[in-house]
Amino acid sequence: MTFNRRTFLGSAALTAGLLAAPMVRAQGKPRVVVVGGGAGGATAARYIAKDSNGEIDVTLVEPTRTYYTCFFSNLYLGGFRTMQSLGHSYGTLAAEYGINVVHDWAVGVDRDAKTVSLAGGASLPYDRLILSPGIDFVDGAVEGWDVSSQNAMPHAYKGGSQTELLKAQIMAMPQGGTYAMVAPPNPFRCPPGPYERISMVAHMLKETNPTAKILIADPKENFSKQGLFEEGWNDNYAGMIERVGPDFGGADVAVDPAAMTLSIDGDVNNVDVCNVIPAMKAGRIAEIAGITDGNWAPVNAADMSSKMDDSIHVLGDAAAQGDMPKSGFAANSQAKVCANAVRGALTGSTVFPARFANTCWSLIDTDDGVKVGATYEATDEKIAKVDGFISQTGESDDVRAATYQESIGWYDGITADMFG
Amino acid sequence: MRAGLLSAAMITIASTAYGDAGGDPKNGERLFNQCSGCHQVGQGAVDRIGPHLNNIFDRAAGTAQGYRYSDSLERAAAGGLTWNYETLNSFVENPRVLVSRTRMSFRGMNDQQDRDDLLAYLRQFSASPENIPEAAPTAAAVDHEVAPEVLAIVGDPAYGEYLSGECTACHQTSGAGDGIPAITNWPNDDFVTAMHAYKVGVRAHPVMQMMAGRLSDEEIAALAAYFESIE
């Protein structure tokens, strides 16, 4: 027998058809449970519900009724956004997309029975489970700090009350006081995030407390958009910011929340605010589900399915996927690929090839926005970078102002894409 | 003496490089009749329906004092659009290559020699025209307009809807357009023309160049078909 293109394509299509035959159910519709209502989870839930036209039951589990985005929370610190403007409800997802929104914590996953248990006692059966739980912190990552210290030394690396607490502490600093940040090691949520935060804190202090100091202990040699940030800090906040990198002990830190001290390489600094951003890992439910390897959950790039359980998909920060940064934009991008694949598996709809993109905007000072971005594709091994760009140092004020305006447009765009 | 030699050498190089693409300002003056209904140029020129064109070369787009530009042109200007030989050449060929939804309702000038002639004429009304090349060395190789057969591709809206996931992280399907422009309900040809302009780098925006850069002709057509269908 000879294979020509036509017979090969025909038999391949037949095989694929058999393998991907829509799940035939004796009763009810296929069920998707999504855990986590952020950029990954809300987007995935919305796209599956929107595009399946009621053929799939979608349940979204998210503890908070109002979701405060972590992205743009630095702009709240800098006084460019209100906290209210970062809050979003799930009302539209429930009312207009028919998503069953459950405000509860997911506390267990039974992979054999395919159920998710909730803190409130309920058990949710699933055909596909999508986990988009964001991040948690690695225990013992910063000597002297654990989550019980987060009121004295906030991380402010999840949106909402932690960010408000950090801002209140910065506002209450004595004149000439010190704000310290313990920056996280790679990989972590939002690579430019700590440095945009430094910019925003400096912007606020320049207005309210111009003799204040900013001290960063950083375990990393280099960081995202470093040239752009350092140029901006020199131009706008000269003499205010000191960063201690690993060469000078930036990785060797300890804190004492009761005494409000930060030790770097044995040198004890008295500080007024200490923003501890510890090493990160996947949100706890990924670990509970037993699909993590080390700190993160490895996934297949083509559909974001777990490498350990093909009925579970992992999105966003929690996933170990390859080259994409951990960002809201990336989670939103991965969610659409995942939604398309899940819908195809459950209803037989067309599955298009995976493609991903990311752009991260950061604000350095008023009307001084910068950005970095890339496109990605799925390979057998990982999500692999295709092409990218970054803002240039020395750009004109007009370009920077336009970039900032664009970031505001993006915020409105992605939140509409998540919450409807 | 040394300076004289140098400038003579430069002139030689210039005439070789630009030899074929140089324009005839006399013919350009005649062609300017197509523009003069809206634009003035020369001594005493003022803004009319369109802005005056004195010193248009090397002028940042959208900066004629007192002239009220379209939002689309303002946005292109904020993105760094500057009028030089290259950008004027593509704008005159088809305004929508560079600025979708510009108010400049001009069907475009197809012939490269005509455009060279027109720009040679306009160039006389910019400061130090001798410093402005009549044509960029690479200009003749750049094709700004999308080929008719590419414009004619009928896109698959279902595929476009899937691909649109890459757009809707920023561009809202509601049609809201602050900071990032709305792209819903655009005429198919405008959409395809704009995306190809990003793809070949005629339009400057780095995010859009990157996004368009890996889209095939069929994928661009699919996106155009999908977005055209959204009210």
Side-chain angles (χ1 to χ4, degrees):
Chain A
M1 168 177 184
T2 55
F3 275 94
N4 63 32
R5 183 174 155 79
R6 184 173 299 260
T7 57
F8 176 72
L9 279 176
S11 62
L14 183 63
T15 315
L18 287 173
L19 289 173
M23 191 169 293
V24 180
R25 309 193 60 78
Q27 50 190 10
K29 297 185 272 188
R31 291 158 302 196
V32 171
V33 173
V34 182
V35 174
T43 305
R46 178 170 167 265
Y47 272 73
I48 292 171
K50 170 171 80 75
D51 295 337
S52 68
N53 298 313
E55 284 183 58
I56 297 176
D57 249 5
V58 182
T59 301
L60 176 61
V61 181
E62 160 62 40
T64 64
R65 284 173 190 279
T66 300
Y67 182 88
Y68 291 96
T69 59
C70 197
F71 49 90
F72 264 40
S73 63
N74 285 329
L75 273 61
Y76 161 78
L77 292 176
F80 294 93
R81 295 290 285 227
T82 62
M83 186 52 78
Q84 195 189 3
S85 77
L86 306 180
H88 304 271
S89 97
Y90 294 92
T92 307
L93 291 183
E96 288 185 24
Y97 295 88
I99 295 167
N100 178 28
V101 181
V102 177
H103 293 298
D104 202 344
W105 286 94
V107 292
V109 176
D110 183 334
R111 283 163 49 190
D112 295 326
K114 292 194 174 179
T115 58
V116 176
S117 52
L118 305 182
S123 174
L124 302 173
Y126 65 81
D127 296 303
R128 292 289 173 124
L129 173 62
I130 298 174
L131 298 180
S132 190
I135 50 130
D136 266 307
F137 300 111
V138 174
D139 290 337
V142 175
E143 191 185 330
W145 192 93
D146 63 35
V147 284
S148 71
S149 324
Q150 70 177 12
N151 287 344
M153 293 187 168
H155 53 79
Y157 229 66
K158 298 178 183 182
S161 58
Q162 272 278 305
T163 319
E164 290 179 302
L165 176 65
L166 180 64
K167 182 162 182 170
Q169 291 183 353
I170 297 168
M171 303 286 273
M173 276 169 55
Q175 289 295 310
T178 299
Y179 160 95
M181 171 188 282
V182 177
N186 291 323
F188 62 98
R189 158 180 286 183
C190 189
Y195 310 97
E196 180 186 54
R197 175 170 297 175
I198 292 298
S199 309
M200 291 295 93
V201 170
H203 173 82
M204 179 167 69
L205 290 174
K206 192 175 168 183
E207 288 177 0
T208 60
N209 191 345
T211 55
K213 296 287 179 209
I214 293 175
L215 174 63
I216 312 162
D218 201 332
K220 303 180 296 300
E221 201 76 58
N222 300 107
F223 59 88
S224 174
K225 302 177 184 164
Q226 183 163 2
L228 296 164
F229 280 118
E230 289 180 344
E231 176 192 53
W233 294 348
N234 273 326
D235 290 351
N236 303 306
Y237 314 119
M240 191 181 245
I241 300 166
E242 182 193 357
R243 175 173 171 268
V244 181
D247 293 352
F248 296 90
D252 179 15
V253 297
V255 295
D256 183 339
M260 283 306 288
T261 58
L262 163 64
S263 304
I264 304 175
D265 202 19
D267 282 349
V268 179
N269 301 272
N270 291 304
V271 299
D272 299 288
V273 175
C274 194
N275 179 193
V276 176
I277 310 175
M280 296 173 202
K281 61 180 183 179
R284 192 151 295 122
I285 192 68
E287 201 176 321
I288 291 169
I291 54 163
T292 51
D293 177 13
N295 288 334
W296 311 100
V299 295
N300 298 302
D303 59 359
M304 302 303 291
S305 62
S306 163
K307 288 195 169 170
M308 303 181 193
D309 185 333
D310 56 15
S311 296
I312 301 181
H313 301 251
V314 186
L315 302 177
D317 297 350
Q321 33 70 15
D323 294 350
M324 293 186 89
K326 298 185 184 300
S327 76
F329 197 122
N332 170 267
S333 172
Q334 294 160 12
K336 294 171 201 175
V337 168
C338 173
N340 184 254
V342 165
R343 214 158 48 81
L346 296 180
T347 70
S349 64
T350 311
V351 176
F352 295 108
R355 46 199 301 145
F356 306 92
N358 179 65
T359 301
C360 289
W361 287 266
S362 303
L363 187 61
I364 296 175
D365 199 352
T366 307
D367 286 333
D368 190 359
V370 292
K371 60 191 170 185
V372 60
T375 52
Y376 304 86
E377 64 187 3
T379 66
D380 289 343
E381 187 195 341
K382 63 173 184 175
I383 296 181
K385 183 173 169 178
V386 176
D387 187 18
F389 72 89
I390 183 165
S391 294
Q392 301 299 303
T393 51
E395 284 174 336
S396 72
D397 292 351
D398 284 352
V399 168
R400 291 295 177 88
T403 300
Y404 174 54
Q405 289 304 318
E406 190 179 280
S407 73
I408 297 170
W410 164 74
Y411 186 89
D412 294 342
I414 192 173
T415 51
D417 208 30
M418 291 162 62
F419 299 104
Chain B
M1 183 63 197
R2 206 169 150 195
L5 275 175
L6 191 64
S7 60
M10 284 176 71
I11 287 162
T12 310
I13 291 164
S15 63
T16 308
Y18 309 138
D20 295 338
D24 168 13
K26 275 268 176 262
N27 189 42
E29 183 173 10
R30 191 182 59 75
L31 290 163
F32 189 73
N33 284 334
Q34 296 179 36
C35 319
S36 58
C38 300
H39 293 282
Q40 294 188 352
V41 71
Q43 197 173 12
V46 294
D47 296 339
R48 299 288 297 275
I49 295 170
H52 75 81
L53 299 177
N54 290 343
N55 283 317
I56 186 71
F57 281 85
D58 292 334
R59 184 204 284 174
T63 54
Q65 284 290 321
Y67 181 74
R68 171 134 170 66
Y69 291 90
S70 66
D71 291 348
S72 309
L73 201 124
E74 296 261 5
R75 198 189 308 275
L81 178 61
T82 296
W83 295 123
N84 54 33
Y85 176 82
E86 192 71 52
T87 53
L88 285 169
N89 187 30
S90 61
F91 198 63
V92 171
E93 181 179 0
N94 176 355
R96 289 170 303 171
V97 166
L98 278 184
V99 187
S100 303
R101 322 215 125 181
T102 172
R103 281 203 302 265
M104 180 156 123
S105 64
F106 177 57
R107 68 179 181 283
M109 193 176 278
N110 285 328
D111 187 83
Q112 178 68 57
Q113 188 60 52
D114 282 353
R115 296 198 298 275
D116 282 340
D117 294 349
L118 179 70
L119 294 181
Y121 170 68
L122 288 177
R123 167 177 173 277
Q124 300 175 330
F125 303 101
S126 285
S128 310
E130 66 275 14
N131 296 332
I132 304 168
E134 286 197 38
T138 55
V142 177
D143 189 9
H144 307 107
E145 283 241 275
V146 179
E149 60 270 26
V150 174
L151 275 179
I153 297 172
V154 177
D156 169 11
Y159 188 34
E161 182 170 9
Y162 169 70
L163 292 171
S164 77
E166 293 208 323
C167 315
T168 54
C170 301
H171 297 276
Q172 300 183 54
T173 49
S174 68
D178 287 340
I180 289 178
I183 53 172
T184 50
N185 203 15
W186 277 26
N188 186 84
D189 287 6
D190 283 12
F191 193 101
V192 173
T193 298
M195 291 300 281
H196 280 279
Y198 286 120
K199 186 173 175 173
V200 301
V202 179
R203 289 203 193 193
H205 196 276
V207 178
M208 288 307 304
Q209 284 184 352
M210 179 183 79
M211 301 308 291
R214 67 164 170 173
L215 292 171
S216 67
D217 294 349
E218 286 71 22
E219 287 168 337
I220 289 174
L223 282 166
Y226 171 67
F227 279 110
E228 188 176 35
S229 72
I230 298 182
E231 290 298 323

mmCIF file of all heavy atoms in Angstrom, chain B residues 54 131 152:
data_model
loop_
_atom_site.group_PDB
_atom_site.id
_atom_site.type_symbol
_atom_site.label_atom_id
_atom_site.label_comp_id
_atom_site.label_asym_id
_atom_site.label_seq_id
_atom_site.Cartn_x
_atom_site.Cartn_y
_atom_site.Cartn_z
ATOM 1 N N ASN B 54 3.903 73.366 4.661
ATOM 2 C CA ASN B 54 5.253 73.944 4.752
ATOM 3 C C ASN B 54 6.045 73.196 5.816
ATOM 4 O O ASN B 54 5.525 72.863 6.873
ATOM 5 C CB ASN B 54 5.177 75.419 5.127
ATOM 6 C CG ASN B 54 4.622 76.263 3.984
ATOM 7 O OD1 ASN B 54 4.586 75.809 2.834
ATOM 8 N ND2 ASN B 54 4.174 77.465 4.310
ATOM 9 N N ASN B 131 19.248 69.083 2.172
ATOM 10 C CA ASN B 131 19.596 68.059 3.164
ATOM 11 C C ASN B 131 18.594 66.915 3.217
ATOM 12 O O ASN B 131 18.759 65.973 3.967
ATOM 13 C CB ASN B 131 19.695 68.678 4.562
ATOM 14 C CG ASN B 131 20.822 69.695 4.630
ATOM 15 O OD1 ASN B 131 21.788 69.576 3.884
ATOM 16 N ND2 ASN B 131 20.676 70.679 5.483
ATOM 17 N N ALA B 152 -8.070 40.165 -1.390
ATOM 18 C CA ALA B 152 -9.239 39.404 -1.828
ATOM 19 C C ALA B 152 -9.445 38.111 -1.044
ATOM 20 O O ALA B 152 -10.476 37.458 -1.179
ATOM 21 C CB ALA B 152 -9.110 39.083 -3.320
#
